[in-house]
Amino acid sequence: MKKLFYLVLISLLLPLSAAAMEANEIGSVMRQKVDVVLSILNDHNLSKTERNSAIETEMDPYFDFVLMAKLSLGKSGWQEATPAQRKEYVVLFERRIKDFYMSKLDLYKDEVITLETPQEVKNRIYLNSYIVEKGEKKEVLYKFYHAKEGWLIYDVDVLGVSIIQSYRSQFAGELENGSIEQLLIKLRQPQPDA
Amino acid sequence: MKRLFLTMILGFSLLYSQEGASAAPAPSDQIGPLAHLSGPEDEVFDDGFDIGGFEDEFTDVAAEPVYDPLEGYNRWMTGFNNTLFDYLLDPVISTYNFILPEPIRVSINNIFNNLYYPVSLVNNLLQLKFEYALSETGRFIINSTFGFAGMFDTAMQIGVEPHVEDFGQTLGHYGVGNGMPIVLPFFGPSNLRDITGDLLDFYVNPVYYVEPRTYNIPRNTYEGWGLVGAKRFNKFSLYKQEYLQIRREALDFYPFMRDAYEQNRNKLISE
C-alpha cells in the first residue's frame, strides 16, 4: 500500500520535472529539442506566427530569461530600478531577446546543426554547436548553469560574441546617459519586423 | 484494486501533463516570463541582484568604461557607412546578388580565402602553431587542386578545418592590446592593432612582390586594396540580411558592433 502511495506521488511529480535537465541529459535533450525545432522550421504549412510560438513553447523551459535580463542590466542598473521597473524590464527584455532569436531563424535554410559533447567548465556546462553555412563553419555556444529546476541556459555565444555581453554594453551606455526609465522607453518601442 | 490504482495514477498524470501543456500556449502567458519564474514574484523583483558568481563572467562596462577616445568620430563614421550602405551599396549588392546566385558568391569567397593562404601560413608560423600551418598547407593544396582553384572548400568537406590567422591575431597572440576602436570608411569596425595587422598582412602577401606585369593583379597598391575591397564586398553580399537585421534590432548600433567586433577578435586570438 505504501509503495502504491509512492507511485501515485511520483507519477504526480513526473510531468513537473519534465523540463528540468540533469547534467548528463543536456546533450541528448538539446539534440532532441534542436531536431524538433528544425522539423518545425521545415514545416512550411505553418504561418510565421504559428511557427514562432511552437518554437517558443519547445525552447522556453530551457532558458532562464530572468537571469539573462538581470545579467544584461548589470548590478548597478538592477539596484537602481524599482521592483515595478524591474518587472517591466524583464518582460520587455524577454520579448526582445526572443524576437532577436526568432528573426535569425528566418535566415535558416536546411543547414545541418551539429552538437558537440557538453563540456564542464567550472560550475557551468558549455554546449558547443556548429552549423556549416555559406561555406563557413559557424559556432554557437550554449552556456548552462545549475538552477533550482535543473540546468538552464543563461547565455549564448554566437561566433564568440556573448549575447548578454552585447546587451550589457548597449544598456550600460543607455544607463550612463539617462535613467532606467529611458532604457524602458527604448525597449517599449516595438521591434521592426525583420 | 490494483487496476483501480493504476487507472488513478494514469488519470492523475494525464490531468497534470495536460494542465502543464495548456498553461503554455495561451498567448498572454507566452509574452511574459512570469509564467516560469523560479520563485515568488516579490522575491525575484525585490532582490538586490543576488546572483553569486555570475557578475564575474561579464565585463562590467559601468566600472570599466571602454577606452574609446574616438567615439564621436566612430559614431559619425558608423552613420556614414550605414548611409553609404543604404544609398549606394545596397542597390549595387542587390544587382550583384541578382546576377550571381549565392553558390557562386560562396565559391568566389572560397577563392579569395584560398589565395589568403600565404598570409595565414606566415602568421601561423609566427605564432608557432606548426600543426595549423601544416593543415593550412594541406587545405591550400587540396582546394587548389580538387577544389578547382579554390572554388570549393573540398578540404573542409573531408574534415580539414581552416585555421586562418592574420597579423592582428599574431600581434594579439603576443600580448598586444586591441588599442582604441576605429571605424573605417567602407570597411567598418576595427581597432588600432588590427589596422596595423591589415597593413602588415598586405606586405606579407607574395603577390605584392611579383614583378609588375600587365596581366598581374594587383600591379600596384591601389589594385591591392581593390582586391581586398572586392573580397570584403563579395563576403558582405552574403551577409547583407544579417547586417540589416542586427542594425534594425540593435538598441544602439555602434556600441553593439564595437563590442561584437572585439569579442569575436578575442575569440579568434585565443584559439
Side-chain angles (χ1 to χ4, degrees):
Chain A
M1 197 61 199
K2 223 176 179 179
K3 229 180 204 168
L4 273 170
F5 177 73
Y6 274 119
L7 263 174
V8 174
L9 247 173
I10 289 167
S11 72
L12 284 177
L13 289 172
L14 267 178
L16 267 181
S17 60
M21 275 187 290
E22 293 302 315
N24 56 357
E25 294 171 348
I26 288 180
S28 56
V29 172
M30 287 304 282
R31 180 71 257 172
Q32 186 198 335
K33 284 291 152 186
V34 167
D35 289 339
V36 171
V37 169
L38 291 185
S39 70
I40 296 172
L41 281 172
N42 287 324
D43 184 352
H44 298 295
N45 295 323
L46 294 172
S47 77
K48 209 163 137 177
T49 335
E50 286 170 336
R51 187 201 75 182
N52 286 359
S53 73
I55 292 172
E56 226 178 290
T57 314
E58 286 299 326
M59 295 311 290
D60 249 9
Y62 303 101
F63 286 84
D64 188 339
F65 290 108
V66 180
L67 178 64
M68 291 170 103
K70 282 184 180 180
L71 289 171
S72 298
L73 193 61
K75 191 172 181 169
S76 51
W78 183 261
Q79 282 170 341
E80 190 194 312
T82 64
Q85 282 175 326
R86 287 174 188 166
K87 187 172 165 182
E88 189 190 356
Y89 161 73
V90 168
V91 174
L92 291 170
F93 176 84
E94 178 176 355
R95 193 65 256 154
R96 202 174 182 91
I97 203 164
K98 279 182 178 170
D99 287 347
F100 183 82
Y101 204 77
M102 294 298 171
S103 69
K104 299 293 156 290
L105 294 175
D106 293 342
L107 303 172
Y108 173 81
K109 284 181 254 167
D110 308 322
E111 288 95 358
V112 177
I113 295 175
T114 318
L115 295 184
E116 283 176 1
T117 322
Q119 301 290 323
E120 251 189 271
V121 183
K122 286 183 195 158
N123 49 354
R124 316 262 185 257
I125 291 179
Y126 287 3
L127 176 63
N128 220 337
S129 73
Y130 56 87
I131 171 168
V132 174
E133 182 196 37
K134 294 168 190 171
E136 281 167 348
K137 196 171 153 180
K138 311 275 160 63
E139 257 184 56
V140 179
L141 177 70
Y142 295 92
K143 298 187 220 166
F144 294 80
Y145 83 108
H146 196 268
K148 277 180 232 154
E149 305 92 322
W151 290 85
L152 293 176
I153 297 170
Y154 69 94
D155 190 14
V156 182
D157 279 9
V158 183
L159 302 173
V161 181
S162 145
I163 289 185
I164 297 301
Q165 187 63 47
S166 303
Y167 277 112
R168 243 175 126 85
S169 50
Q170 290 184 81
F171 291 171
E174 214 57 52
L175 291 173
E176 200 184 318
N177 301 324
S179 60
I180 179 97
E181 194 53 38
Q182 260 157 310
L183 174 65
L184 286 175
I185 290 171
K186 274 213 171 176
L187 286 174
R188 274 180 210 135
Q189 285 163 3
Q191 285 277 281
D193 218 13
Chain B
M1 190 62 196
K2 221 174 184 177
R3 191 180 271 177
L4 186 75
F5 255 110
L6 281 174
T7 325
M8 258 176 69
I9 293 167
L10 202 73
F12 263 120
S13 56
L14 270 177
L15 194 81
Y16 225 102
S17 59
Q18 270 172 357
E19 256 177 18
S22 64
S28 58
D29 286 357
Q30 255 180 34
I31 293 165
L34 307 173
H36 51 78
L37 280 184
S38 57
E41 213 175 274
D42 293 349
E43 222 170 85
V44 173
F45 294 114
D46 273 335
D47 80 11
F49 209 72
D50 173 28
I51 39 167
F54 269 105
E55 272 296 272
D56 309 340
E57 274 183 48
F58 302 96
T59 317
D60 193 349
V61 196
E64 301 166 48
V66 187
Y67 177 63
D68 191 1
L70 295 180
E71 185 170 349
Y73 156 82
N74 283 337
R75 278 185 183 273
W76 182 86
M77 190 47 87
T78 304
F80 174 82
N81 281 340
N82 287 344
T83 315
L84 190 82
F85 173 83
D86 290 337
Y87 292 99
L88 188 73
L89 220 52
D90 191 22
V92 175
I93 284 182
S94 298
T95 318
Y96 183 71
N97 288 0
F98 179 74
I99 299 168
L100 296 176
E102 193 178 293
I104 295 179
R105 283 178 284 131
V106 168
S107 284
I108 293 174
N109 191 40
N110 286 340
I111 292 172
F112 276 125
N113 287 343
N114 197 44
L115 290 175
Y116 193 78
Y117 160 71
V119 182
S120 194
L121 175 72
V122 168
N123 283 301
N124 270 310
L125 290 175
L126 283 174
Q127 294 176 46
L128 311 179
K129 293 175 178 171
F130 298 116
E131 244 172 80
Y132 290 172
L134 201 67
S135 80
E136 282 290 281
T137 307
R139 281 176 51 78
F140 180 69
I141 295 169
I142 294 167
N143 285 342
S144 303
T145 50
F146 299 108
F148 293 95
M151 267 169 70
F152 304 102
D153 197 343
T154 316
M156 185 143 89
Q157 284 159 19
I158 60 170
V160 189
E161 309 246 330
H163 296 284
V164 182
E165 296 283 336
D166 56 47
F167 245 114
Q169 281 165 260
T170 302
L171 292 172
H173 179 78
Y174 288 106
V176 177
N178 301 351
M180 58 179 148
I182 303 171
V183 178
L184 295 170
F186 308 101
F187 293 102
S190 190
N191 59 41
L192 202 55
R193 183 203 53 220
D194 291 340
I195 290 173
T196 315
D198 287 340
L199 290 169
L200 290 170
D201 279 338
F202 191 67
Y203 295 109
V204 166
N205 203 329
V207 178
Y208 187 72
Y209 297 99
V210 178
E211 190 195 337
R213 281 171 298 220
T214 38
Y215 51 84
N216 261 7
I217 299 176
R219 278 168 302 191
N220 53 45
T221 316
Y222 297 113
E223 285 188 0
W225 283 111
L227 267 186
V228 176
K231 180 184 180 198
R232 298 264 183 116
F233 174 82
N234 181 70
K235 187 154 183 186
F236 193 63
S237 81
L238 290 167
Y239 295 103
K240 194 183 104 171
Q241 291 307 328
E242 281 85 344
Y243 158 78
L244 276 174
Q245 262 184 5
I246 285 174
R247 205 177 85 181
R248 265 195 299 250
E249 283 159 6
L251 201 71
D252 189 356
F253 184 60
Y254 171 63
F256 173 84
M257 205 183 52
R258 177 186 64 197
D259 222 65
Y261 178 80
E262 299 293 354
Q263 285 189 57
N264 176 252
R265 291 295 293 173
N266 289 343
K267 177 188 157 66
L268 292 174
I269 288 166
S270 71
E271 273 172 359

